[in-house]
Amino acid sequence: MLPEEFADLEPFAGKWSLATERERYSTRMATPIQEMRAFYDAVTPRAEAAMAYIERFPFDELPEDALHLLHLLYSMIEVSFPIEVWHQPRVPDSGATSFDSFTEPRP
Amino acid sequence: MARYPKPPEGSWTEHFGLDTAPVSYADSVSPEYYERERQAIFRRAWLNVGRVEQLPRKGSYFTKELAVVNTSVVVVRGMDGEIRAFHNVCRHRGNKLVWNEAPEEETQGFCRQFTCKYHAWRYGLDGSLTFIQQEGEFFDVDKDQFGLVAVHCEIWAGFIFVNVAREPEQSLRDFLGPMITALECYPFDQMTSRFGYRTEVKANWKLFMDAFAEFYHAPVLHSKQSPDKYSAAAREAGYEAPHYQVDGPHRLVSTSGVRFWEMDPSSLKPMENLTRGGLFGPWDKPDLGELPAGVNPGKCNPWGLDSFQLFPNFVILIWGQGWYLTYHYWPTSYNTHIFEGNVYFTPATNVRERIAQEMSAVTFKEFALQDANTLEATQLMLESGYVERFPLNDQEVLLRHLHKVVADWVNEPAGVPA
């Protein structure tokens, strides 16, 4: 799914290269914190290189593999809250509260 | 010792002529009071239902469910480019005219005319009835008398408002007043990159208005969202806003800015450093040119944000970092409402801008989830009724103002209170 230079992240792409916030948020909710940490630890050191790679293309015409890489970065941001802040998938004390995305920019 | 000067009266609360005694929340736990709000407020006030960018071309439409006034409206850009609103009901037998799959859900799209799903009566985008199936079977139906029923619709700064009163008591512009209309030239129209979120909150609509009208809660409720070093300092300092303002039924709080990019990186989350974005928005702000005088009217420096609460249920929150949010609180009963939050940025032109925006939008959602659940806990215990008086401090001045304005409208159903 990802550009060749990011073969090291390929094992995470199937699960985390997701086009919509709804998919990313629900994957976060359904994933144990240890597994999210493995993804976070793998992707954050590569984020700068990933942005530099995506920058080679016009942003409104990204090739598919670059788009997948971008979606992986969105998931990196999504999991950063459980990893850096909450130490659990869900916002503490948020009970059954949801806040569902119904529109977002593409890409 | 106050960090920011108070008005000559000694407090913002007294400055605005508001009572300083503990308040009652009886207005938030009563089905009867909610019915009075529906009649006296929501059926009389101008209600924001969206923005013009949601109707990009002739024939674009969206529907808006307004349970609080017991209707659904369809908002459409006609062939003449004008935006109009209609009650979403077919004049033949009362079927809901525009919907998809589930009649209670909102929809949007593009069409050249509206056709009822039931008997195929057709209406032009200006609401005129243009076709009756088997017209000859009817008894002298004058098509001119059976067009869609219009809802008063006016636009300000690209925001589309409706008013379901038979005759609104004020024009939209008069209703908004000088504090709000002074925002008119803000480049809302350039900020077309939108993240929208929605949820049902099990609390009275005013409790969520209250939650976002004070920042006294911020260093406490949200403390874990920042590294310990920052949150400890924030909690120690407490919270003071440099500027409050009210104008008629509307109100404003401004906050001071935080220059995150000048802070010690250990006071920031790793993801903030990596994405150059966060709660206050992208660190690298777009060049918006000179902003209108209505923005940051208290001349706060550094300036963080202006949160304008437009009566009754609409908030425009303008961030110093060059983006804005809107909040809508749509009551569905005395103890439930639909909360909608929209985040608007200028469209990203490269990956770094987009990543900073994504971080800002995701951070907004994390904070909102914390805020929303607190409200359900509040509603539950207010409804217990064992405690009746609640002290509010001077940083909660806008809560007093909202509840007072609500009471003024409810108690004076005959005309807009002065």
Side-chain angles (χ1 to χ4, degrees):
Chain A
M1 291 177 79
L2 303 178
E4 240 169 66
E5 312 169 38
F6 295 92
D8 56 315
L9 297 179
E10 193 66 36
F12 300 99
K15 177 156 183 170
W16 293 105
S17 180
L18 301 168
T20 68
E21 194 273 351
R22 273 183 179 246
E23 295 169 292
R24 294 188 290 271
Y25 187 74
S26 62
T27 302
R28 157 185 166 180
M29 284 300 161
T31 302
I33 194 84
Q34 299 82 352
E35 187 187 335
M36 271 194 279
R37 176 169 285 286
F39 169 53
Y40 175 91
D41 287 344
V43 69
T44 48
R46 301 284 278 139
E48 177 52 42
M51 287 192 279
Y53 180 88
I54 295 167
E55 265 180 327
R56 294 187 210 161
F57 309 97
F59 190 62
D60 52 358
E61 291 172 41
L62 294 181
E64 203 168 345
D65 55 358
L67 188 62
H68 291 155
L69 191 59
L70 180 66
H71 292 157
L72 203 66
L73 293 178
Y74 294 165
S75 282
M76 169 189 76
I77 292 169
E78 184 65 53
V79 305
S80 75
F81 285 84
I83 298 300
E84 295 180 0
V85 183
W86 309 129
H87 313 299
Q88 62 181 47
R90 177 177 285 285
V91 175
D93 293 339
S94 66
T97 306
S98 62
F99 199 34
D100 301 322
S101 163
F102 63 84
T103 186
E104 63 192 309
R106 299 287 174 89
Chain B
M1 181 65 196
R3 260 174 288 165
Y4 299 109
K6 298 269 188 181
E9 295 82 353
S11 71
W12 291 102
T13 308
E14 291 157 295
H15 179 63
F16 297 130
L18 295 165
D19 197 20
T20 55
V23 301
S24 159
Y25 273 97
D27 65 1
S28 301
V29 297
S30 152
E32 183 268 338
Y33 196 86
Y34 172 59
E35 285 306 315
R36 293 172 69 188
E37 289 178 344
R38 296 176 76 179
Q39 299 299 326
I41 296 171
F42 289 91
R43 285 181 182 271
R44 286 163 64 205
W46 287 95
L47 308 173
N48 176 256
V49 293
R51 278 199 56 81
V52 294
E53 290 82 14
Q54 291 169 254
L55 302 172
R57 55 190 177 135
K58 294 169 182 172
S60 297
Y61 68 86
F62 63 82
T63 65
K64 190 79 197 166
E65 298 306 304
L66 300 175
V68 66
V69 288
N70 204 25
T71 194
S72 164
V73 295
V74 55
V75 185
V76 59
R77 189 184 290 275
M79 298 315 285
D80 55 0
E82 289 292 305
I83 291 173
R84 297 179 181 84
F86 303 98
H87 286 285
N88 190 6
V89 55
C90 179
R91 292 299 304 275
H92 171 221
R93 290 251 301 279
N95 189 31
K96 189 170 190 175
L97 183 63
V98 183
W99 55 282
N100 267 331
E101 301 297 335
E104 69 280 7
E105 283 178 18
E106 294 178 353
T107 186
Q108 59 184 325
F110 168 82
C111 67
R112 298 198 176 279
Q113 60 189 356
F114 298 117
T115 306
C116 184
K117 292 175 190 287
Y118 203 175
H119 304 97
W121 281 36
R122 294 205 292 257
Y123 301 88
L125 302 179
D126 61 355
S128 57
L129 175 60
T130 55
F131 174 79
I132 297 177
Q133 176 83 358
Q134 290 175 262
E135 188 171 0
E137 295 281 344
F138 282 87
F139 304 92
D140 304 321
V141 173
D142 176 1
K143 288 214 275 294
D144 290 344
Q145 300 300 310
F146 288 88
L148 297 178
V149 176
V151 177
H152 295 280
C153 179
E154 291 184 22
I155 293 162
W156 167 79
F159 293 98
I160 304 167
F161 290 77
V162 299
N163 189 315
V164 298
R166 210 168 284 275
E167 271 314 316
E169 293 154 39
Q170 292 173 292
S171 68
L172 173 62
R173 220 179 163 76
D174 287 348
F175 173 76
L176 293 175
M179 180 176 80
I180 302 300
T181 54
L183 297 175
E184 188 147 27
C185 298
Y186 187 80
F188 297 110
D189 58 342
Q190 293 177 32
M191 299 184 187
T192 54
S193 202
R194 173 188 183 204
F195 297 72
Y197 308 88
R198 190 181 290 133
T199 189
E200 179 171 64
V201 179
K202 295 187 189 71
N204 183 272
W205 64 282
K206 298 186 295 298
L207 296 187
F208 213 166
M209 295 279 292
D210 285 355
F212 284 152
E214 54 90 358
F215 295 98
Y216 172 54
H217 74 276
V220 181
L221 179 64
H222 302 304
S223 67
K224 289 204 176 67
Q225 297 245 20
S226 307
D228 292 345
K229 187 173 165 187
Y230 180 78
S231 59
R235 197 190 283 237
E236 178 68 26
Y239 182 80
E240 282 173 44
H243 185 69
Y244 292 97
Q245 199 168 324
V246 303
D247 180 20
H250 316 294
R251 62 202 77 85
L252 161 70
V253 53
S254 300
T255 76
S256 57
V258 180
R259 295 188 170 104
F260 287 100
W261 43 97
E262 291 175 6
M263 282 168 51
D264 171 1
S266 69
S267 291
L268 296 162
K269 284 179 290 198
M271 196 52 58
E272 289 174 320
N273 288 309
L274 202 161
T275 58
R276 300 182 61 77
L279 181 65
F280 282 46
W283 294 358
D284 303 297
K285 67 177 181 183
D287 179 13
L288 300 175
E290 197 180 335
L291 297 181
V295 174
N296 186 16
K299 307 258 189 296
C300 308
N301 185 17
W303 168 60
L305 63 83
D306 289 342
S307 179
F308 290 92
Q309 289 202 334
L310 282 68
F311 191 73
N313 68 330
F314 176 40
V315 170
I316 302 174
L317 192 155
I318 297 175
W319 287 92
Q321 284 304 109
W323 58 300
Y324 79 101
L325 298 169
T326 60
Y327 304 143
H328 293 84
Y329 309 82
W330 293 110
T332 48
S333 76
Y334 79 96
N335 62 3
T336 55
H337 69 276
I338 304 282
F339 174 66
E340 188 176 311
N342 284 281
V343 179
Y344 293 91
F345 299 105
T346 52
T349 57
N350 61 57
V351 59
R352 290 176 198 277
E353 288 174 10
R354 181 64 180 79
I355 287 291
Q357 292 177 357
E358 183 74 16
M359 180 63 182
S360 305
V362 172
T363 306
F364 163 68
K365 173 168 169 169
E366 300 287 311
F367 274 77
L369 281 167
Q370 283 193 304
D371 288 308
N373 207 49
T374 308
L375 302 178
E376 303 190 3
T378 306
Q379 183 75 34
L380 274 173
M381 292 321 290
L382 288 179
E383 285 189 28
S384 77
Y386 288 100
V387 179
E388 293 174 344
R389 282 157 47 83
F390 301 89
L392 297 182
N393 71 46
D394 203 33
Q395 301 300 325
E396 296 169 306
V397 57
L398 298 189
L399 284 61
R400 289 186 194 269
H401 182 256
L402 167 64
H403 290 262
K404 179 181 184 296
V405 172
V406 165
D408 288 348
W409 280 56
V410 165
N411 294 329
E412 197 164 344
V416 176

